[in-house]
Amino acid sequence: EINKDGNCVPIPVTVDNTCPVPDTLGDSTTENVNITGDNGEQTLQTILDNANYSLDVQTDQKQFQVWNVTGGAKIDINAKFINEFAHNNQVFGYYVNGDTSNFVPVFKTANVVGYDSTPLSSAGPFTITVPTGATTLGFAIKTYDGDTFSNTMATQNSLNPNSKDQVVVYNPSSDNYVLAFEDINGGDNDFNDLVVEVDLGCETTPPPVENTCPAPDAVGDTTEETVNTVNNGEESLQTILDNANY
C-alpha cells in the first residue's frame, strides 16, 4: 500500500479469532522490549525471525491477558516450545477463571522437583483439553532457581508481582498466539526467557435434535435391540453407517 508520502507501508491484516476470545482487560500499553541482546542471548526479534514469524516485537504486540470461553465449552490447546534464554528453569502451563492456584503444567524446560511427571519441552508439541466449566483461560510460568521456587508469571497482569506485564502476546493468525515471557520481576524486559506458541479452539456441544412434523412416536417401546456386528463376512450395520458418514 502507498501512503500519502508515496512510501510503501504494509497492509494491516485482520485476524478473526473465534473461541476462546482474547481479552485485553482494558490494557492498551505496549511494552518496550529490550532488543540489545545482553550476554550474547538471542533477542526476542531474532527468536521470532528464526521461527519464521512475520512479526515486529514492538508494533505487533497485542495486550491480551485472558481468553473468554463461551458457555463453558471444552478448550483444545496445542502448545509448542519455541525457545528460551534464561538462568531460571521454567514450568509452562495454563490456569482458568483468573486463579493460578489451579495451574496445570504442560511442559518444563528442565527437571524441577515436584514436576516429575511433567514432560520436557523437547517432547512437544503438546495437545491438551481443558475440561468444561471454565469461563476464562490464562497462561503462566512457574520459575525456579534450580529447585527453589521464584515466582509465578501470568498473562493476567493483576496476578503478577506489582501487577506488572510479564508476557507480551502476538496473534500471527486466527486462534494462534505467541507468548513471550519475562521471568523476573524488575528484570531486563527482553521477554526471551520463554517463548511459546499456542493454538486454541473450543469443542462445542451439538444442540439436541428437534423433530418437527410428523413427530416420531415410540408407542411406549423402551427396549434397545442388541445388534449383531459379526455377520459372516458381510458388512455390519455399524460399518454401513460409518461408510455413509453417519
Side-chain angles (χ1 to χ4, degrees), residues 98-116:
D99 184 0
T100 54
S101 69
N102 59 42
F103 175 83
V104 177
V106 174
F107 66 76
K108 60 192 177 186
T109 60
N111 289 322
V112 175
V113 169
Y115 291 94
D116 294 343

Side-chain angles (χ1 to χ4, degrees), residues 18-178:
T18 57
C19 177
V21 179
D23 191 336
T24 65
L25 300 181
D27 184 10
S28 60
T29 303
T30 299
E31 298 302 312
N32 186 21
V33 177
N34 176 4
I35 56 172
T36 58
D38 295 337
N39 303 316
E41 297 178 353
Q42 287 186 15
T43 67
L44 178 56
Q45 187 64 66
T46 299
I47 292 170
L48 296 178
D49 292 345
N50 288 344
N52 297 316
Y53 294 108
S54 297
L55 295 169
D56 183 277
V57 290
Q58 293 298 139
T59 60
D60 287 324
Q61 287 181 37
K62 307 296 181 184
Q63 309 311 318
F64 302 148
Q65 297 189 42
V66 298
W67 285 259
N68 296 321
V69 185
T70 303
K74 285 184 180 179
I75 310 164
D76 290 328
I77 303 172
N78 291 299
K80 181 173 69 174
F81 168 80
I82 302 299
N83 215 329
E84 60 144 345
F85 288 89
H87 165 77
N88 287 331
N89 299 327
Q90 325 284 1
V91 180
F92 170 79
Y94 71 89
Y95 61 94
V96 297
N97 303 335
D99 184 0
T100 54
S101 69
N102 59 42
F103 175 83
V104 177
V106 174
F107 66 76
K108 60 192 177 186
T109 60
N111 289 322
V112 175
V113 169
Y115 291 94
D116 294 343
S117 62
T118 301
L120 288 167
S121 56
S122 57
F126 306 91
T127 300
I128 311 100
T129 297
V130 181
T132 57
T135 56
T136 64
L137 172 73
F139 296 95
I141 57 172
K142 290 188 176 290
T143 70
Y144 290 80
D145 185 356
D147 286 324
T148 303
F149 175 71
S150 298
N151 260 313
T152 299
M153 300 302 190
T155 51
Q156 192 169 340
N157 297 351
S158 62
L159 302 179
N160 295 328
N162 301 318
S163 296
K164 190 176 183 296
D165 198 332
Q166 298 289 150
V167 190
V168 288
V169 180
Y170 303 93
N171 189 191
S173 59
S174 297
D175 302 317
N176 173 264
Y177 306 90
V178 175

Side-chain angles (χ1 to χ4, degrees), residues 171-204:
N171 189 191
S173 59
S174 297
D175 302 317
N176 173 264
Y177 306 90
V178 175
L179 314 175
F181 288 84
E182 171 58 52
D183 69 349
I184 298 175
N185 179 32
D188 55 7
N189 267 35
D190 52 13
F191 292 94
N192 67 350
D193 299 316
L194 181 64
V195 184
V196 182
E197 176 187 288
V198 293
D199 285 299
L200 304 180
C202 293
E203 296 181 23
T204 56

